[in-house]
Amino acid sequence: LLLIVSCGGGSPSSESGAADSGATDASAAPNRDRIAMGTTLTARTLDPADAYEIFPGILLYNMGDRLYSYAPGTTDIVPQLATELPRISEDQLTYVIPLRDDVTLHDGTPFNAAVMAYSLQRFMENGGRPAFLLADPIDSVDATGEYELTLRLTKPFAALTSMLTFSGATPIPPEKYEIGEGQFSPETFIGSGPYKLASFSSDVIKLDVNEDYWGEAPSNSGIDIQVFTNPANLYNTFRAGGIDVAYQTLDPAQIAFLDSTADSDGHQVIEAGASVVNYMTLNQKIAPFDQLEARQALAAMIDRPLLNDRAFQGQAKPLYTMIPPTFAVSEPVFESAYGDANYDQAKALLTQAGYSDTNPLSFEIWYPSSSTTRSIVANTLKEAIETHLPGWVDITVNSAESATLREQLQQGAYTTVLSNWYPDYFDPENFALPFFSCIKETAGLCDEGFAQTRGSFYSSAAMNALLDAQSSEADPAARTQLFKEIQDLSAQDVPYIPLWQNKDYVFSQDGLNNVTIEPNQQLLLGQISRS
C-alpha cells in the first residue's frame, strides 16, 4: 500500500476501483443546488426510539430538533425546542422545561408539551436500543401546561440536560408513531428539523430542505447521501469528483494520501479530535483475567505509540484513561501507573500471579471480523508482546461477526475483546457509568448492569459509590474530584484497558464552505454551502 501511495497514480487500496451498483457517476458533476455526500456507514433504522448508531444519529440530528443542543463549534448547552435551561427543584428530582410555541412538525402537527411528552414516553417504553438512556433516570414525563414539560427523576442525575441533547430525544407526531414494545418505523421519519426525509434506501438517502422550519434555514438546497459498500469506492468516487463530501470511513492509507495531495488535487481536509474511545475489555469471569495481577500485567505490556505507527500511520492518539482528554476531568492514569511497553513491570506482575517462561499467560484477543484496523491492532499486540516476553505470554488472535461478538461478549465467552465506544451525550459520566456500574453481583462478579453487558463482569462497591456520588453532585469542583477517583480506581482494578482515539476526518471538494465536525462528533449539514 505504501509503495502505491509513494509512486502516485493509483488508489492506496487493495480493492477494485469499480463503483458500487447505483453509486453516483464519478464522471458527472454533482447537482450544483444540492450537496452530495458519501459514506460507508449504514442506517439500520431512522426510528428515533431505536436508532443507536453513528449514521442514523447524524441523520436524526439534522432532521429533528431536541430540547437542548450545543452552540456550533462549542460544548455549551443551549435551548433549542426549550426556551431556557431547566428549572430544577432543590432536591434535583423535578425538571420544569418551558417550550417554544412557534414550531410545526414536518407533517403540519403543531409542537407542544403534549407532543414532546408523548415522544419521550415512546422513546422510553418501546424497548429500543437507546431506551435505557431516559428510562433509567426518568420516572415520569408530563405536559404540565400547553408549552411546559415536567420531568420527574428516580434519583438526582447531574447529566440529564446533556442527555436531552441525544439525537433520538426528538419530537414526532403522535398520530404517526405508536407506543408499544417493538413498535418501530425504521424507514420513515417525521420530525421538526431543518431537513425532511425525501427518500430512504440501503444505498441512497435524500434530505430535502424543510421550507417551514422555525429556525435558521439551511445554506444549501438539500443533501444526497450515497452509501458505499467499501472504503475503496468511497475514496475513488471522491477523487473523481463524484461527491462533494466524504465522511466515515476511509482506511489510514487513503486518509494519508488525501491529506498529502490536498493542495495539488484541490480538495479540503478537515481534521478534528474525537470523543470516541477504543479499548480492550478484560473478562474477570474466567481465567486468566480473574486475577488482578494478570490484568495489571497486560496493562503494562501495551505499546500505544507502536499501535499508532503500525495501525494508523500516526493518525491516532494514545489513550490512557476511559474518559478522553476532550473533558477537563480526564487524567492519564494508565500512563502513570503502567506506561507503555513496560515489560519489566509486566514480568514482575506475572511472577506474582504465578506465571513464568515455562508457565505462560495464555489468552485470546477477539475483534469484529469487519474491522481491518482491529485485526492489525490485535496482531501487532501479539507480535510485540510475544517478542519482548518470549515464553511468558501466548496470545491467540480471533475474530467474529459483530452481532455474534456483542451477544457472546455479555455471556462471558471471550477473555479479551477490542471494542470502541461512541458517547450518547457529551458528559464525562457517559465514559464511566456505561462501563463500571453494576446493579447486581454474585461472588464478586457483575450479574446485571453495564459491566456485565460490556463483558468485563467488573463489580466494585467503591466504584458504584463513586458513580452514584458524581451523578448527584451539583458542585463542579467536587464532581471533578469524584471523576479523578473513578479513573484512579479503574487503573487499579483494570476491567478495561484504554488504547487509542482516532482523529476524525472529513474531506470536501474545493468551493465548499463550513464543512466541520462539531465537538460532539456531529455534522451540521445545514451549514454547508458552496462558494
Side-chain angles (χ1 to χ4, degrees):
L1 300 183
L2 293 176
L3 284 173
I4 295 173
V5 173
S6 63
C7 294
S11 159
S13 169
S14 59
E15 306 226 25
S16 164
D20 289 6
S21 174
T24 305
D25 182 356
S27 64
N31 184 328
R32 299 298 298 176
D33 295 327
R34 298 172 68 89
I35 303 299
M37 174 180 166
T39 184
T40 62
L41 301 176
T42 58
R44 174 184 59 88
T45 178
L46 293 180
D47 193 307
D50 194 34
Y52 197 47
E53 297 88 8
I54 307 169
F55 188 39
I58 291 173
L59 295 173
L60 291 173
Y61 205 85
N62 286 277
M63 293 191 294
D65 297 313
R66 296 145 304 283
L67 290 168
Y68 300 99
S69 189
Y70 294 98
T74 76
T75 56
D76 299 331
I77 295 178
V78 294
Q80 191 174 41
L81 292 175
T83 58
E84 61 184 53
L85 293 175
R87 299 194 293 268
I88 305 172
S89 63
E90 188 174 345
D91 63 5
Q92 301 183 60
L93 294 178
T94 302
Y95 283 58
V96 178
I97 303 173
L99 305 179
R100 300 187 67 94
D101 61 4
D102 58 350
V103 177
T104 302
L105 273 59
H106 296 159
D107 67 341
T109 299
F111 170 77
N112 56 29
V115 168
M116 195 71 229
Y118 182 93
S119 304
L120 296 181
Q121 201 68 43
R122 180 178 181 272
F123 184 98
M124 294 188 292
E125 291 187 18
N126 280 31
R129 289 185 61 193
F132 71 94
L133 290 173
L134 299 183
D136 287 355
I138 296 177
D139 182 55
S140 65
V141 182
D142 297 294
T144 49
E146 187 174 4
Y147 296 104
E148 181 185 88
L149 187 74
T150 299
L151 309 179
R152 293 179 174 85
L153 309 190
T154 56
K155 61 181 181 179
F157 184 54
L160 183 69
T161 308
S162 296
M163 187 177 287
L164 293 174
T165 68
F166 180 67
S167 59
T170 186
I172 41 87
E175 290 77 13
K176 304 291 176 60
Y177 288 84
E178 294 182 48
I179 290 182
E181 182 74 24
Q183 296 297 313
F184 300 119
S185 300
E187 297 181 0
T188 61
F189 178 74
I190 303 170
S192 63
Y195 290 102
K196 296 180 177 181
L197 182 66
S199 66
F200 176 79
S201 68
S202 60
D203 58 354
V204 177
I205 301 167
K206 294 181 180 291
L207 310 182
D208 288 345
V209 170
N210 175 12
E211 301 293 348
D212 299 319
Y213 187 52
W214 61 271
E216 184 177 350
S219 299
N220 53 67
S221 299
I223 308 291
D224 299 324
I225 302 169
Q226 176 68 47
V227 180
F228 293 88
T229 58
N230 59 62
N233 288 338
L234 171 61
Y235 168 85
N236 290 332
T237 304
F238 177 77
R239 287 204 69 202
I243 53 176
D244 297 308
V245 177
Y247 180 63
Q248 296 269 12
T249 303
L250 295 172
D251 291 334
Q254 295 165 343
I255 292 172
F257 191 78
L258 289 175
D259 193 22
S260 67
T261 60
D263 292 338
S264 59
D265 286 2
H267 57 257
Q268 303 173 72
V269 180
I270 297 94
E271 176 186 331
S275 295
V276 181
V277 297
N278 294 267
Y279 63 95
M280 178 186 288
T281 296
L282 277 60
N283 182 358
Q284 299 184 26
K285 197 173 185 179
I286 57 177
F289 296 121
D290 54 345
Q291 286 184 285
L292 173 61
E293 291 84 2
R295 300 195 302 273
Q296 292 174 334
L298 180 55
M301 297 176 204
I302 303 299
D303 189 343
R304 293 170 184 81
L306 179 67
L307 295 180
N308 190 21
D309 289 342
R310 291 198 182 177
F312 305 105
Q313 299 189 25
Q315 297 163 15
K317 292 183 178 179
L319 182 65
Y320 296 97
T321 174
M322 294 300 288
I323 300 178
T326 344
F327 299 97
V329 302
S330 178
E331 299 275 351
V333 287
F334 276 75
E335 184 176 30
S336 55
Y338 306 104
D340 283 289
N342 192 341
Y343 296 111
D344 290 338
Q345 183 184 18
K347 188 177 288 189
L349 288 162
L350 288 174
T351 302
Q352 291 178 37
Y355 296 100
S356 67
D357 55 359
T358 58
N359 178 35
L361 175 76
S362 298
F363 64 95
E364 298 174 331
I365 299 177
W366 287 81
Y367 66 91
S369 54
S370 60
S371 176
T372 303
T373 298
R374 283 175 177 73
S375 172
I376 298 172
V377 167
N379 284 286
T380 299
L381 288 172
K382 171 182 169 64
E383 178 188 354
I385 292 171
E386 291 182 350
T387 298
H388 287 88
L389 293 171
W392 284 78
V393 183
D394 180 24
I395 300 174
T396 303
V397 173
N398 284 315
S399 66
E401 192 271 331
S402 293
T404 301
L405 198 67
R406 186 167 53 246
E407 179 182 349
Q408 296 295 318
L409 175 70
Q410 57 190 342
Q411 295 176 14
Y414 310 117
T415 49
T416 74
V417 176
L418 296 177
S419 302
N420 61 9
W421 172 250
Y422 288 77
D424 301 313
Y425 51 97
F426 201 78
D427 188 275
E429 179 194 72
N430 201 226
F431 295 88
L433 193 69
F435 293 96
F436 304 120
S437 66
C438 180
I439 298 172
K440 177 185 174 185
E441 73 158 51
T442 301
L445 294 172
C446 186
D447 286 335
E448 182 182 345
F450 287 121
Q452 177 259 320
T453 59
R454 295 268 173 260
S456 70
F457 301 92
Y458 173 65
S459 181
S460 164
M463 180 65 83
N464 284 334
L466 288 169
L467 292 171
D468 286 343
Q470 68 76 28
S471 185
S472 59
E473 181 55 68
D475 176 40
R479 198 165 182 245
T480 294
Q481 177 59 33
L482 290 167
F483 279 120
K484 181 182 185 306
E485 294 175 30
I486 287 169
Q487 292 170 92
D488 286 340
L489 188 55
S490 74
Q492 176 184 313
D493 292 347
V494 200
Y496 313 92
I497 300 176
L499 296 175
W500 78 89
Q501 283 189 285
N502 293 99
K503 296 177 185 176
D504 206 2
Y505 291 88
V506 58
F507 299 91
S508 70
Q509 306 293 355
D510 272 353
L512 261 65
N513 303 316
N514 300 320
V515 182
T516 60
I517 303 168
E518 293 296 302
N520 66 341
Q521 303 304 123
Q522 283 291 344
L523 287 177
L524 299 182
L525 301 178
Q527 291 186 347
I528 302 175
S529 64
R530 296 188 189 277
S531 296

